[in-house]
Amino acid sequence: MTSASALTRVLARITARDSTGEVAGRLAGVGVPVFPCVPGGKRPLTAHGFHDATTDPGRVVAWWREHPTANLAVPTGAASGLVVVDVDVHGLVDGYRAFERAERAGLVSGWQLVVATPSGGMHAYYRAPPDRVQRSWQAARSGIDFRGDGGYIVVPPSTLPTNDGSGGYRVRRVVAGACSELDADRLREFLDPRPAPTRRPDPGAERSVEVSRLAAWVAARQEGERNRGLFWAACRLAENNIAAADALDVLTAPAAQAGLGEREITATVRSAYRTVHPPPQTSSRSYDVSSQSMVGWFSRDASVRSPSVRGLS
């Protein structure tokens, strides 16, 4: 695993004259794997996406020789040694408010680098834990995404189209010294708490589960959350001995309202029931369990609020 500090040192020294290819070479040189994305976009140009990320200088040079204006991306998680909290702003969703709530709760402290994104959001970089996997997730209603294992992030000096033309990813804040690890599971539960089943003394009263609450929660899932949310809800029903057929009856309509197809709903519910109640082992076969605004951070005039933040020399 590489160090998040190595990436921070490179990005903190970017100048206006640096191209994405030059920065890609520097990152690869300090052990941070990189790969190209389409110019002005986030879609990988490589055949296998972030899985093709490399520190091989020859391959990096060849990529940017073929695509000199390509955007630059880095895989997150164990591959690069960093994870990122992605704060988004779109429509009525203001991720800064959720981020500041999480900050007051002590859940997002310890970042080492903050990058302004072209859309007006920000990326906060943290050290990836060396001893456990942290999967990427999305809390769409809060305007927060987490980029961990199985994800990637576009980094400076990449650009994206904006309403005003074209905007770039820019380093806005740097903390000199080691950064902390982020408890991504606690953060997700804080931003998007899952309903806890209510146990009742009467075993016949909804089998100790607030089925209507679970169904409403599944219906409210957005893209990036739907399948996992349905799986979780189905597991709760299975744990309370609700028959699989009854679980399908309960969850099909809300899952469809969230945007899932009938075949995917059926497969997900069945998978949840197999996870909670695996069939008897008759052979060596095993079953895998898959499991207020930006003023508080940085304003558009690039003012710095926090006295604990200082630039790298």
Side-chain angles (χ1 to χ4, degrees):
M1 178 185 289
T2 57
S3 168
S5 297
L7 179 139
T8 298
R9 286 193 297 270
V10 171
L11 296 189
R13 291 174 169 82
I14 291 176
T15 71
R17 297 185 300 272
D18 289 327
S19 68
T20 54
E22 290 169 333
V23 176
R26 293 173 202 162
L27 288 174
V30 297
V32 178
V34 298
F35 65 98
C37 289
V38 295
K42 300 179 182 180
R43 180 174 58 82
L45 282 168
T46 55
H48 305 99
F50 66 87
H51 296 291
D52 290 326
T54 185
T55 59
D56 178 13
R59 185 180 298 180
V60 172
V61 169
W63 277 338
W64 267 269
R65 182 183 295 128
E66 183 178 359
H67 307 284
T69 60
N71 272 349
L72 168 60
V74 171
T76 46
S80 61
L82 66 95
V83 295
V84 174
V85 174
D86 182 356
V87 178
D88 198 10
V89 179
H90 57 85
L92 299 177
V93 176
D94 184 350
Y96 287 98
R97 295 177 179 176
F99 192 86
E100 289 192 347
R101 285 194 299 109
E103 181 193 22
R104 290 192 294 270
L107 298 177
V108 292
S109 59
W111 51 266
Q112 187 168 64
L113 177 71
V114 167
V115 169
T117 65
S119 63
M122 77 174 189
H123 294 163
Y125 290 65
Y126 302 81
R127 185 180 68 211
D131 56 346
R132 68 184 186 278
V133 172
Q134 289 190 325
R135 295 291 181 189
S136 298
W137 49 258
Q138 182 182 51
R141 289 186 297 173
S142 297
I144 300 287
D145 294 348
F146 173 73
R147 309 296 184 183
D149 292 279
Y152 66 91
I153 203 77
V154 177
V155 304
S158 301
T159 61
L160 291 178
T162 66
N163 292 335
D164 300 324
S166 179
Y169 290 82
R170 293 170 293 146
V171 173
R172 296 297 294 267
R173 291 183 175 185
V174 178
V175 171
C179 57
S180 303
E181 293 177 9
L182 179 80
D183 191 329
D185 291 335
R186 284 186 62 203
L187 177 60
R188 180 171 192 171
E189 187 63 27
F190 176 82
L191 295 173
D192 187 21
R194 291 169 292 187
T198 301
R199 299 198 174 275
R200 301 169 180 168
D202 180 5
E206 298 289 0
R207 300 286 189 107
S208 305
V209 178
E210 286 192 11
V211 174
S212 60
R213 189 180 179 193
L214 278 175
W217 183 81
V218 169
R221 297 306 87 196
Q222 299 189 26
E223 186 174 0
E225 307 171 322
R226 299 176 302 201
N227 193 280
R228 183 180 183 276
L230 173 60
F231 181 86
W232 183 87
C235 284
R236 302 294 77 77
L237 294 176
E239 289 167 357
N240 284 269
N241 296 318
I242 302 295
D246 293 338
L248 268 175
D249 289 342
V250 167
L251 296 175
T252 294
Q257 182 179 337
L260 293 177
E262 183 177 355
R263 183 172 300 178
E264 186 175 10
I265 294 169
T266 301
T268 300
V269 172
R270 286 177 176 170
S271 177
Y273 270 72
R274 285 196 300 268
T275 297
V276 175
H277 302 300
Q281 301 251 340
T282 57
S283 67
S284 60
R285 181 181 179 185
S286 62
Y287 292 83
D288 293 332
V289 181
S290 306
S291 317
Q292 192 140 317
S293 80
M294 72 176 67
V295 172
W297 279 93
F298 52 77
S299 61
R300 289 187 171 90
D301 62 2
S303 61
V304 176
R305 174 172 64 91
S306 173
S308 64
V309 177
R310 53 192 182 276
L312 291 180
S313 58

